[in-house]
Amino acid sequence: MDREGAVALVTFDRPPVNAVDLEAIEGFRALAEELGADAAVRAVVITGTDRAFCAGADVSMMRDLSAENHRKVRRWIDVQAALEAMPKPVIAAIRGYALGGGAELALACDLRVISADSTIGFPEIELGLFPGAGGTQRLPRVVGPARALRLMMLGERLTGEEAAAIGLADVVVPERAGVLPAAMDLARTLAERATRTIGLLKRAVREGFGLPIEEGLEVEETAVFELIGTEDAREGLQAFLERRSARFTGR
């Protein structure tokens, strides 16, 4: 992990293709918890190498089809849950392949930056499997259930431009060399904003999504009353009244 001011850059580098094993899962879990609790970190960028963001689960790990092993494998969903619940913005910077568990990791991030020639998809069906570490739940929430089902049943792989066209990616850059600079620029911009507010916004959307509107509004109300007690909210309103730029602190 590297730090640039309030932005933390997490680089996954497990040759040759950044496949996830049990050790990597535990490492990601610990790091996500650490970054979530670090008030000095106000935005996080997750990336891989130029060849692969993450090519999914290490097949040698998956060959053990026992329930005991797959309970360990499914701790990958704990990593994703920690990213979603992180009270600050999280950006996936995708270069090369983001397949299977790698695509699931990207889906758990708030924003996805990808190059036009990179590839994202869920090829598990080719192994007689389906995306069982969050993919069946998160992908439909991003692209809709019918499209998600088609992508998973056919194991389709999408280019960066194709992913952006269906809302699976947020920013597309022409070449892989531009992915990390674009993601870091976005992270720096977000880190200067009211990151405490962003954290509450994430929580309201995550917890309210899918609820009946009345229950969703209760989730929102809880977040609103927590929000009005923050320093960021006070600073934002005061700065507006004083006609100056707000100086947010993430508190």
Side-chain angles (χ1 to χ4, degrees):
M1 183 186 72
D2 298 305
R3 289 276 294 273
E4 182 188 298
V7 177
L9 172 62
V10 177
T11 303
F12 183 38
D13 187 3
R14 184 175 183 263
V17 293
N18 283 357
V20 175
D21 63 358
L22 295 178
E23 182 180 357
I25 291 172
E26 291 307 311
F28 264 111
R29 284 183 66 249
L31 189 55
E33 291 177 6
E34 176 188 336
L35 293 174
D38 189 343
V41 173
R42 299 179 58 195
V44 176
V45 174
I46 298 176
T47 194
T49 59
D50 186 63
R51 179 180 181 186
F53 174 73
C54 173
D58 190 323
V59 175
S60 64
M61 171 182 70
M62 301 292 290
R63 286 181 64 188
D64 179 354
L65 295 175
S66 68
E68 179 182 3
N69 182 59
H70 277 262
R71 287 191 185 96
K72 297 176 183 176
V73 171
R74 272 185 62 77
R75 293 187 74 127
W76 193 230
I77 66 173
D78 296 336
V79 173
Q80 297 163 51
L83 296 177
E84 285 186 327
M86 196 175 289
K88 58 201 72 177
V90 182
I91 300 167
I94 302 169
R95 298 171 289 176
Y97 296 104
L99 300 174
E104 289 171 324
L105 178 65
L107 281 172
C109 298
D110 303 309
L111 297 169
R112 287 164 288 280
V113 179
I114 191 170
S115 67
D117 66 338
S118 290
T119 305
I120 186 168
F122 295 88
E124 288 93 335
I125 197 70
E126 297 168 7
L127 300 176
L129 305 172
F130 63 73
T136 66
Q137 301 307 302
R138 289 190 176 88
L139 185 60
R141 285 165 167 78
V142 174
V143 303
R147 180 175 278 137
L149 190 57
R150 187 195 76 207
L151 291 173
M152 291 184 285
M153 286 194 303
L154 294 177
E156 292 184 4
R157 294 165 170 82
L158 305 179
T159 66
E161 291 180 342
E162 290 170 336
I166 63 171
L168 187 52
D170 300 284
V171 178
V172 182
V173 298
E175 299 178 349
R176 296 183 191 184
V179 169
L180 196 52
M184 291 296 290
D185 283 346
L186 186 55
R188 283 188 287 266
T189 297
L190 290 169
E192 292 176 356
R193 296 192 175 178
T195 47
R196 180 71 188 281
T197 302
I198 290 173
L200 291 168
L201 171 63
K202 287 177 60 172
R203 193 180 78 192
V205 171
R206 184 182 72 253
E207 294 182 1
F209 184 82
L211 294 178
I213 186 63
E214 296 82 2
E215 295 178 29
L217 289 172
E218 291 176 3
V219 170
E220 181 184 80
E221 180 178 1
T222 299
V224 165
F225 280 95
E226 188 171 340
L227 171 64
I228 61 177
T230 66
E231 293 182 18
D232 277 352
R234 286 193 293 272
E235 166 62 13
L237 293 170
Q238 189 64 32
F240 178 82
L241 293 172
E242 295 175 359
R243 300 181 180 180
R244 60 175 174 82
S245 297
R247 296 182 292 272
F248 295 117
T249 62
R251 294 194 292 271

